[in-house]
């Protein structure tokens, strides 16, 4: 049963959206999570039609966010870009946009966190109007300097709880949160706020930082235990396999799909 | 004023303890933090005499810890090794042993955390008897899989608070904790429990993982702000510069000392 498996497009970074969608159909994967650059490459309307015609459902659109910037003009430009991401998600019939919140433009991490909250607040009315949910994804603290100042489940959840649950929630990615001593407590606290669940694994040694993820089962993460905790919150949505890994990127698409399905079956499914 | 500056020996990994001690004297640095392998290489008694004769004070001995292991025999062996580290610290007149707590031997991170608590409990009577304090150092979560399951200030502090403050405390290293949304709250909570304070910086991109640290001022960490928060807890002890960085390791010792003193003066001192 791979009914909940969603293939996040970055797992096959060098494939087009079209190739990726065809591979999903060929391998019986019913969900896909496209990235904006690949959607733009193929054209938004064409992509939406293509995915619909393939019978694929879109688990999320990757990605919005990157709110903090040195100038107000730049911050407003980014909010506009996030509004476009919401419009694209609506066209693609995705239920949510994943937010990678962005780093501090200077050393002021508290200031950057405030800009993230303001950025999300600015987006909420537009997201609500389009029926698209915003999923705040806490990133691993090793990305605090260059990708996201939001680095723990607790922090993401506190932020989400400033807004209504119908519009703002969190995305739980095991690679980013597995180390947290408060993991299971925060997952219970996240009941009703989980919009997405991403799996991969943390191998030792890590094959890279941004490209440091491995297939499920090849690392140290307690995948079934985390999945059970996410299930217990009542989350019944898709489970995205999102793996950035140079070796996996360099292999044939069908091999990646076979590995993805096998390791999902062996290490994530109940 | 570099009165509180302590040179952690790993900052010049390829120098012997003797070379390192001489460089401290030559550059007016009054504190040193030796590593056990370099002490053993020179001989414990000889090292102790040499440091004493140089007028150097020992801020801490690096390092004990690594408690979790698959078998009880191995766990006991490691506790014995930690007892030896305490004896060495006493001989060197160090006030504390830094504990890097170790990773999980398998995927069971909760089990490993329990083994850490049990390991420290087993050491406390010996440490108390020798007058040596144990400093639990939370490591950055990117080391959770291979170096330490203790990865946040909150966790280290909760662990330390299971024991008396005269024997067990925490070591705050900016590289490991700067990203934490609870940083300043936990530092205030750590009043009376801080046994050591380590500085370096987090540059983007990180030059490595284990060897990812940079000179103060070359990265994104709010060094003065964190130092002020540590000072406000009443901590008046030495401030160790601990930098693992291949480029710094490959340069002449005197260059490293000049850079260390300059960047400490520019970015850490009040």
């Amino acid at each position: 049963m791979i009914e909940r498996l969603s293939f996040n497009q970055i797992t096959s970074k060098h494939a087009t959206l079209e190739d990726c969608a065809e591979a999903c159909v060929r391998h019986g994967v019913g969900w896909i999570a496209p990235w904006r650059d690949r959607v733009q490459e193929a054209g938004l309307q064409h992509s939406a039609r293509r995915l619909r015609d393939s019978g694929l459902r879109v688990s999320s659109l990757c990605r919005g966010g990157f709110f903090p910037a040195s100038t107000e003009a730049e911050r407003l430009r980014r909010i506009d870009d996030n509004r476009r991401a919401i419009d694209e998600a609506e066209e693609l019939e995705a239920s949510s946009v994943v937010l990678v919140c962005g780093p501090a433009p200077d050393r002021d991490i508290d200031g950057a966190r405030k800009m993230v909250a303001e950025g999300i607040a600015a987006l909420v009315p537009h997201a609500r109007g389009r029926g698209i949910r915003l999923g705040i994804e806490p990133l691993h603290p090793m990305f605090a300097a260059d990708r996201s100042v939001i680095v723990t489940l607790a922090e993401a959840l506190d932020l989400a709880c400033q807004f209504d649950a119908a519009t703002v929630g969190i995305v739980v990615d095991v690679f980013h949160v597995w180390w947290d001593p408060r993991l299971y407590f925060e997952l219970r606290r996240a009941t009703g706020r989980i919009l997405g669940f991403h799996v991969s694994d943390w191998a030792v040694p890590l094959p890279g930082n941004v490209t440091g993820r491995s297939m499920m089962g090849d690392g140290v993460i307690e995948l079934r235990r985390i999945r059970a905790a996410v299930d217990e919150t009542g989350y019944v949505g898709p489970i995205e396999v999102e793996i950035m890994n140079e070796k996996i990127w360099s292999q044939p698409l069908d091999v990646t799909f076979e590995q993805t399905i096998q390791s999902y079956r062996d290490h994530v499914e109940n």
Side-chain angles (χ1 to χ4, degrees), chain A residues 166-178:
Chain A
T167 312
V168 184
I170 66 167
V171 172
V172 177
D173 183 315
V174 297
F175 185 84
H176 294 309
V177 305
W178 72 275

Side-chain angles (χ1 to χ4, degrees), chain A residues 195-212:
Chain A
L195 306 189
F197 179 40
H198 296 182
V199 293
S200 64
D201 213 335
W202 183 291
V204 177
L206 214 58
N209 279 15
V210 177
T211 56

Side-chain angles (χ1 to χ4, degrees), chain A residues 68 104-118 149:
Chain A
D106 48 45
R107 287 183 180 80
D108 180 11
I109 197 167
D110 286 352
R113 284 169 170 150
K114 198 159 161 276
M115 290 175 195
V116 170
E118 289 166 355
V149 292

Side-chain angles (χ1 to χ4, degrees), chain A residues 36 63-86 97 99-106 112 115-116 118-120 122-123 126 134 146-148:
Chain A
R36 292 183 72 198
R63 61 188 187 193
F66 284 85
F67 299 104
S70 298
T71 65
E72 197 188 352
E74 178 59 22
R75 290 196 293 279
L76 292 174
R77 202 194 61 73
R78 294 187 185 189
I79 288 169
D80 277 345
D81 186 56
N82 275 284
R83 287 204 183 93
R84 278 192 296 277
I86 290 167
V97 171
L99 300 181
V100 172
C101 292
D106 48 45
M115 290 175 195
V116 170
E118 289 166 355
I120 295 173
L123 286 182
H126 191 73
L134 303 173
D146 52 3
R147 282 188 165 63
S148 174

